[in-house]
Amino acid sequence: DVKVTQSSRYLVKRTGEKVFLECVQDMDHENMFWYRQDPGLGLRLIYFSYDVKMKEKGDIPEGYSVSREKKERFSLILESASTNQTSMYLCASSFSWRSYEQYFGPGTRLTVT
Amino acid sequence: QKEVEQDPGPLSVPEGAIVSLNCTYSNSAFQYFMWYRQYSRKGPELLMYTYSSGNKEDGRFTAQVDKSSKYISLFIRDSQPSDSATYLCAISNAGGTSYGKLTFGQGTILTVHP
């Protein structure tokens, strides 16, 4: 059974703090993704990675960076958190040969005050 | 224009009703069409996918793609309270390649009441 885990379910940070969100998958998936989900806006892709140490910008990368040092782990970094980054963050992974099926983690609800 | 448009609802129906959920898209290059279901406080899960045009049926669920109209639909027959969730359409033109980037609709919140 595929499992995607995220480091925290809920996180509260102050404006200007550096925030790390971690994601781990146990199915040897090549692709990994970070999305944010906001009411009325749906899922928006922040960054994705199709291999270790490889990363590609998604639709809304501003204010974020990512790191993928190991195949199973994909980290999202908010260099200096701002209130407009308050959101639900979802990590996902997929096989390259079955890329239409993404497996999602439970999400991290981040509040920046 | 957004690449994928989906009516966010919310949609409320009685148990047993037929539910129709719809999305439109703008880029004719898309080839894979998916429906994801997201329960409250959970991540989305793939419900169905269709390659190119046509219908696909899985139990009470039918996915339909009309590439000429750039329109995709999900029908739920005999809806149950357990079907209450957010339904997200997703499209991809990279099926089988390494990137696998999906573009999601805004999601439709469905409530089926007993």
Side-chain angles (χ1 to χ4, degrees):
Chain A
D1 204 20
V2 177
K3 198 161 186 182
V4 180
T5 57
Q6 296 184 229
S7 48
S8 308
R9 289 303 302 269
Y10 301 94
L11 210 51
V12 180
K13 295 292 182 180
R14 292 190 182 273
T15 301
E17 278 193 85
K18 192 168 186 175
V19 181
F20 292 87
L21 302 181
E22 299 234 302
C23 174
V24 178
Q25 50 93 4
D26 66 359
M27 277 300 292
D28 204 33
H29 286 165
E30 293 86 5
N31 301 332
M32 295 190 75
F33 308 84
W34 275 107
Y35 296 89
R36 62 178 284 176
Q37 186 173 31
D38 301 287
L41 297 176
L43 281 168
R44 293 182 292 167
L45 182 65
I46 304 171
Y47 266 97
F48 64 103
S49 168
Y50 53 92
D51 201 353
V52 176
K53 296 192 185 295
M54 305 301 288
K55 60 185 179 185
E56 293 282 341
K57 291 181 181 178
D59 301 317
I60 51 164
E62 297 77 19
Y64 304 93
S65 63
V66 291
S67 172
R68 193 168 180 200
E69 296 296 318
K70 293 185 177 182
K71 191 175 186 179
E72 68 271 18
R73 191 178 296 268
F74 193 35
S75 301
L76 180 69
I77 302 149
L78 287 66
E79 295 289 342
S80 177
S82 63
T83 55
N84 63 11
Q85 292 178 311
T86 291
S87 186
M88 172 66 81
Y89 289 87
L90 288 158
C91 175
S93 66
S94 71
F95 285 118
S96 58
W97 55 271
R98 193 180 165 89
S99 55
Y100 54 82
E101 184 168 19
Q102 292 188 5
Y103 292 85
F104 284 82
T108 295
R109 169 72 64 185
L110 173 67
T111 302
V112 183
T113 61
Chain B
Q1 184 185 7
K2 288 184 180 177
E3 283 193 300
V4 185
E5 298 272 8
Q6 182 177 7
D7 185 345
L11 191 59
S12 181
V13 301
E15 184 175 353
I18 296 174
V19 176
S20 172
L21 304 169
N22 308 293
C23 290
T24 57
Y25 63 96
S26 57
N27 188 342
S28 58
F30 292 120
Q31 298 175 5
Y32 282 81
F33 305 92
M34 284 68 66
W35 285 95
Y36 280 76
R37 179 174 61 194
Q38 184 178 21
Y39 289 116
S40 181
R41 291 185 290 278
K42 296 279 182 74
E45 291 180 303
L46 180 66
L47 183 61
M48 296 183 73
Y49 82 95
T50 310
Y51 175 72
S52 194
S53 279
N55 291 1
K56 188 171 186 177
E57 192 172 314
D58 184 2
R60 297 183 294 109
F61 298 87
T62 299
Q64 199 170 75
V65 177
D66 182 349
K67 291 192 79 178
S68 62
S69 303
K70 299 191 184 71
Y71 197 82
I72 60 176
S73 302
L74 178 71
F75 298 97
I76 307 174
R77 290 184 300 281
D78 187 25
S79 57
Q80 302 295 309
S82 58
D83 295 328
S84 298
T86 298
Y87 290 80
L88 301 117
C89 61
I91 53 179
S92 171
N93 63 351
T97 70
S98 299
Y99 288 28
K101 181 182 167 184
L102 304 183
T103 302
F104 285 88
Q106 298 94 316
T108 300
I109 301 170
L110 171 67
T111 302
V112 181
H113 50 86

